Amino acid sequence: MAETPIYTLKGASLSFGTNQLFRNVDLYINRGDKISLVGRNGSGKSTLLKVIAGAIEADNAEIFIQPGVRISYMPQEPDFSGFSSLKDVVRAGIYSSDENTDYKVDIMIEQFGILAGISPDKASGGERRKAALARALISEPDILLLDEPTNHLDMPTIEKLEAIISGFRGAVILISHDRMFLSNVSQTTFWLDRGILRRNNRGFKHFEEWQEQVIEQEIIEQKYLNKKIEEETEWLHKGVTARRRRNMGRLRRLQQLRQERREQIKRIGSVDLEISEGDFRSKFVLEAKHINKSFSGRDIVKDFSIRILKGNKIGVVGPNGAGKTTLIKLLTKRLEPDSGTVRLGKNLDEAYFDQNRITLDSKKTLWQTLCDKGDHIWVRGQYRHVVAYLKDFLFRPDQAQCPVSALSGGEKNRLMLAVALARPSNFLVLDEPTNDLDMDTLDLLQEVLDEYSGTVLLVSHDRDFIDRVVTSVIYMSGNGNIYEHAGSYSDLLAKLAEKEENIVVKKKVKTVVEKVVRTSSHKSPRLSYNQQRQLEILPSEIEKIEQDISQTENLLSNPDLYNENPTEFTRLSALLSELQRQKDTKETTWLELQMLQDSIL
C-alpha cells in the first residue's frame, strides 16, 4: 500500500503580469523525501518553494497538508532585521513557547560552529547562512525547504550539512547551484521546465541523463504529430547534448593536464625549486620558496614552497579562516611573507577577480560597462562585437543598452565575470568567483576557463566546479600546514580520509601491542586450546562477514529502495552497521591472538 503524502499541491499556476512562471503544477511530498528542485535561472524555482511554504499564494491551487505537519522555510536572502545576535536568530526558529529551550539553541550553535554573540549586520555571509540553517532546523520540522543553503559556506560546513540532511527524518526540498551537494543528498528530482513540473524518483546525479531523455522524447512526439519543433526544445536538447560531449572531452584533457602537473611536482622537487633551463624557464609563472606568514601569533602559512607554470590551473581549498585569500595575496606579491621569497615570471599580465573589489556603475549600460567607445572589444587575442560577447554570458541582445541597475543579482555576477575575463591576461586570479552563481553561469565559467590558455589561480568552495576545472588542489587545513595534490578535490578527500584511517589503525595496533605485552607477561608462554582454535577459524568468519557486508551494500545501492520500501532500507542499514561492528570485533581479536602467538615464538 502506497504511503499517504504529507503534502499535496494540485493545479497550481502562477503569473506575474504577462509572464507565466508555471501552470497546472501537481506535486506531492512523502515523509522522508529528499528532493532537489532544479530548473534554469528564472524558471520559478524559488517562487514554487514559497508557494509550498505558504509565503505566497498560487492561482487555482488545491493544497492538502496532513494535520500537525510543520513546514520550515529558509529563503535565499533571509531577513535578520530585529535580531541583536546570531543566537537570537537561531532561537527564533523554535515553535514551542516553552522557556526551557536554550539547550536546543546551544546544540545547534555548537553543531554549526556559529559565532553566536555577534550581530547579524556585522557577521560574514557564511556565519549568517549557518544561523539561518540552524533556525530552519532547530524545531525538527516535517518538511524543510532550503533555497540555496550552501551559498557562502565553506567545504567542511557543506559536508556537515550533507550529513545533517541525510540523517534528517523529515522531508527536504533543496534548491542549489552546488551539483555535488545535490548529488550527495537527493533521492528525487523535481524539474521545473518552461512552466511544467516533472518528477523523477532518482537523485540529481541522474538529472542530465533524464533531462536528455525527456527532451529527445518531446522532439520525437512533435515530429510524429507533424508539428514544427519548438525552438526552445531543440535549443535545450542541443545544449544538453553538446555540454555532455564537451564535458567528456574536457575530462580527458584535464586528466592529461593533471598527469603533467604530477610530473612537474616531481621534477620541481628533484631540483629544489631552482630555475632550470629549457621548458621550465619558458613556462615559469611564479615561484614561492619556504614562505611563512602569521597574524597575532597564529600561523597562516608554514614553510610552503611551490612553483606554478604556464597552463596550470590551481585550486585553493580549505575551511573559512584557513587563510586562502592570504595565500593568494602572498603568491601574487600583494602581501609580503614574514620569511621566504616569492618571485613572479616576466611579462605576466594578471587579471584579478574578487566580487568585493569589482564595482559596477549602475547608471551605465551593459555596452558602456564593457566598451566606452566603439562597438568591439579585444578578448583573448581577438576582437569581439560587444553584443556577441554579452551573448556568451547569457545576455539577450536587447539587454546591451539596458542600465546595470535593471539587472538581477545573478545577472550582475555574470556581468562582473564578463568584465574580468575581457581584460587582457595570461594569469587569471579568481577569489571566490562561484559565490551566488546559478548552474548556467557556472557551466559558462567552466567552459571559459577550459578554453583559457593561461594560468589560473582559483579559490572556491564549489567542490564540483573545482573537480571539473583544476589540474591540482592546494589544501589549507587551517593550522598553517599546506599540501598540494595533483588531481581533483574528490581525490584529495579520499587521500585525506585514508591518511586519517591509517592514523587510527596505527593507534589501534599500538594499543593492541601494549595489551598483548601486558597479557603475555602474566600468562604461560603458550596459547590455550580455545585461543588456538579462534586463531584458526576467525579468518574464515571474517571473510564470511565481508561477503555479507558486500551483499548488503549492493542492496542498499539501489537508488529506488528508500522510496519503494523504507522499512527494508532501515533494516538493511541497521544490518550493515551490525556486520561492520562484528567484523571490527573479530579482526581486533584475531590481531591480539596473532601478536600474542608471535611474542611467544
Side-chain angles (χ1 to χ4, degrees):
M1 184 176 177
E3 182 184 357
T4 303
I6 59 175
Y7 180 99
T8 305
L9 178 70
K10 289 185 178 179
S13 300
L14 192 65
S15 300
F16 292 118
T18 59
N19 179 28
Q20 184 166 44
L21 282 178
F22 48 81
R23 59 189 181 276
N24 297 322
V25 164
D26 294 339
L27 65 85
Y28 63 88
I29 303 169
N30 289 324
R31 196 176 298 278
D33 277 352
K34 303 294 187 293
I35 301 167
S36 58
L37 174 56
V38 301
R40 291 167 60 195
N41 199 31
S43 62
K45 301 185 299 294
S46 293
T47 304
L48 180 57
L49 210 63
K50 289 176 182 176
V51 169
I52 298 170
I56 61 175
E57 197 171 315
D59 304 325
N60 307 316
E62 294 180 27
I63 298 174
F64 172 75
I65 306 174
Q66 277 193 15
V69 166
R70 295 183 300 189
I71 300 175
S72 183
Y73 167 57
M74 190 200 81
Q76 190 169 342
E77 297 295 337
D79 182 10
F80 292 144
S81 59
F83 295 106
S84 60
S85 70
L86 293 183
K87 184 170 185 176
D88 291 338
V89 172
V90 178
R91 186 185 286 112
I94 296 175
Y95 285 98
S96 172
S97 58
D98 184 4
E99 295 179 2
N100 190 24
T101 53
D102 267 2
Y103 74 95
K104 288 186 177 181
V105 177
D106 292 338
I107 288 171
M108 294 304 296
I109 285 171
E110 183 177 356
Q111 190 169 26
F112 279 101
I114 299 168
L115 300 175
I118 64 174
S119 170
D121 57 1
K122 294 181 180 177
S124 67
E127 288 298 322
R128 289 164 62 89
R129 184 67 55 175
K130 289 190 288 185
L133 283 166
R135 177 172 65 177
L137 280 159
I138 193 166
S139 284
E140 300 180 7
D142 301 283
I143 300 175
L144 179 65
L145 309 173
L146 301 177
D147 194 348
E148 295 290 358
T150 63
N151 274 3
H152 305 289
L153 296 184
D154 59 14
M155 289 177 178
T157 307
I158 294 172
E159 288 156 9
K160 187 181 295 183
L161 180 60
E162 285 178 359
I164 290 170
I165 290 174
S166 297
F168 184 70
R169 289 182 293 180
V172 185
I173 302 184
L174 302 152
I175 297 173
S176 178
H177 64 268
D178 189 324
R179 286 181 169 88
M180 189 175 292
F181 174 71
L182 290 181
S183 297
N184 289 344
V185 300
S186 67
Q187 298 159 342
T188 301
T189 304
F190 288 170
W191 177 24
L192 190 56
D193 172 39
R194 291 161 289 161
I196 299 170
L197 186 73
R198 295 177 170 88
R199 179 186 181 112
N200 184 24
N201 291 324
R202 302 172 80 190
F204 178 79
K205 66 177 68 174
H206 304 285
F207 172 67
E208 284 194 2
E209 175 188 351
W210 172 52
Q211 181 188 37
E212 190 165 0
Q213 290 171 354
V214 169
I215 297 171
E216 280 180 350
Q217 184 62 34
E218 201 173 318
I219 289 175
I220 290 169
E221 289 172 359
Q222 288 169 345
K223 284 182 177 178
Y224 179 74
L225 293 170
N226 199 25
K227 290 183 178 179
K228 180 179 180 293
I229 296 174
E230 185 185 347
E231 288 183 8
E232 181 81 353
T233 306
E234 194 168 20
W235 178 84
L236 270 172
H237 180 252
K238 287 178 180 176
V240 170
T241 306
R243 183 166 66 237
R244 178 172 289 188
R245 277 200 303 268
R246 287 195 301 271
N247 283 348
M248 291 173 66
R250 184 182 297 118
L251 183 60
R252 287 192 293 270
R253 288 194 300 275
L254 198 53
Q255 296 293 357
Q256 181 181 352
L257 289 170
R258 284 171 177 165
Q259 183 57 41
E260 288 177 10
R261 182 60 184 165
R262 289 187 194 100
E263 294 303 318
Q264 289 170 5
I265 292 171
K266 287 179 186 175
R267 292 167 66 188
I268 290 166
S270 66
V271 296
D272 192 28
L273 289 177
E274 290 301 326
I275 294 289
S276 58
E277 296 298 326
D279 194 40
F280 273 17
R281 181 183 292 277
S282 64
K283 291 186 174 183
F284 175 71
V285 173
L286 71 84
E287 175 189 66
K289 294 179 69 174
H290 306 293
I291 59 172
N292 293 274
K293 190 68 181 178
S294 63
F295 292 111
S296 303
R298 182 195 162 206
D299 290 324
I300 305 297
V301 177
K302 287 197 298 189
D303 194 26
F304 179 60
S305 299
I306 191 172
R307 175 182 293 165
I308 297 176
L309 304 179
K310 180 183 177 183
N312 291 160
K313 291 167 184 171
I314 313 290
V316 183
V317 301
N320 281 340
K324 300 183 293 296
T325 298
T326 299
L327 179 62
I328 291 286
K329 289 180 177 179
L330 288 168
L331 295 179
T332 56
K333 301 201 76 170
R334 286 174 170 77
L335 187 65
E336 286 297 316
D338 297 336
S339 61
T341 60
V342 176
R343 182 165 43 153
L344 299 179
K346 295 179 180 178
N347 303 318
L348 275 189
D349 203 350
E350 180 194 290
Y352 194 101
F353 176 86
D354 175 357
Q355 285 180 318
N356 297 321
R357 293 175 70 251
I358 292 182
T359 57
L360 300 173
D361 187 338
S362 61
K363 296 178 182 178
K364 284 188 174 182
T365 65
L366 277 67
W367 187 308
Q368 291 169 334
T369 300
L370 287 166
C371 185
D372 277 331
K373 298 177 181 178
D375 56 7
H376 281 72
I377 182 172
W378 182 258
V379 181
R380 293 190 293 278
Q382 61 178 325
Y383 279 106
R384 299 286 309 281
H385 193 279
V386 174
V387 174
Y389 184 63
L390 283 169
K391 284 175 70 176
D392 287 349
F393 286 83
L394 310 179
F395 290 106
R396 301 186 310 274
D398 60 283
Q399 287 182 288
Q401 297 295 350
C402 288
V404 171
S405 59
L407 299 181
S408 68
E411 287 171 331
K412 287 178 181 175
N413 285 332
R414 291 208 301 271
L415 183 58
M416 285 194 292
L417 280 172
V419 170
L421 296 171
R423 294 171 180 168
S425 72
N426 53 24
F427 182 33
L428 191 57
V429 182
L430 303 170
D431 193 355
E432 298 285 8
T434 57
N435 273 352
D436 301 313
L437 296 188
D438 55 73
M439 286 188 185
D440 288 339
T441 312
L442 285 170
D443 282 340
L444 168 72
L445 180 57
Q446 181 186 330
E447 290 182 15
V448 169
L449 293 181
D450 178 58
E451 295 166 2
Y452 185 72
S453 58
T455 303
V456 177
L457 201 52
L458 165 70
V459 177
S460 176
H461 292 304
D462 190 314
R463 298 161 297 173
D464 179 77
F465 185 78
I466 286 281
D467 277 359
R468 291 169 184 253
V469 168
V470 304
T471 54
S472 69
V473 178
I474 295 175
Y475 174 70
M476 302 185 71
S477 60
N479 60 3
N481 294 322
I482 303 176
Y483 166 73
E484 183 183 4
H485 168 71
S488 68
Y489 175 73
S490 297
D491 293 339
L492 172 64
L493 272 186
K495 281 188 173 293
L496 291 173
E498 183 182 348
K499 184 178 179 182
E500 184 65 28
E501 188 177 330
N502 288 338
I503 291 172
V504 171
V505 168
K506 285 178 181 178
K507 287 181 179 177
K508 189 173 181 180
V509 169
K510 183 181 177 183
T511 302
V512 170
V513 170
E514 291 171 349
K515 182 177 177 182
V516 167
V517 170
R518 290 196 303 269
T519 304
S520 61
S521 64
H522 294 290
K523 292 188 176 182
S524 58
R526 56 189 287 177
L527 295 180
S528 68
Y529 174 79
N530 286 336
Q531 288 174 325
Q532 188 64 49
R533 178 65 178 153
Q534 277 189 297
L535 194 59
E536 292 169 358
I537 66 172
L538 277 172
S540 60
E541 290 180 354
I542 291 169
E543 184 179 356
K544 174 64 170 62
I545 291 174
E546 287 175 340
Q547 292 172 358
D548 292 342
I549 286 173
S550 178
Q551 291 173 2
T552 306
E553 287 176 337
N554 285 337
L555 291 171
L556 283 168
S557 67
N558 177 5
D560 300 323
L561 177 62
Y562 185 86
N563 286 328
E564 294 174 354
N565 195 340
T567 304
E568 179 66 3
F569 180 87
T570 303
R571 186 189 72 80
L572 288 172
S573 298
L575 174 61
L576 182 60
S577 296
E578 174 59 21
L579 288 170
Q580 288 170 335
R581 187 195 64 78
Q582 289 179 14
K583 179 190 172 189
D584 187 61
T585 301
K586 289 182 181 292
E587 284 180 339
T588 301
T589 303
W590 179 86
L591 182 60
E592 290 176 353
L593 291 171
Q594 184 63 53
M595 296 184 73
L596 179 58
Q597 184 181 59
D598 290 345
S599 67
I600 293 170
L601 296 175

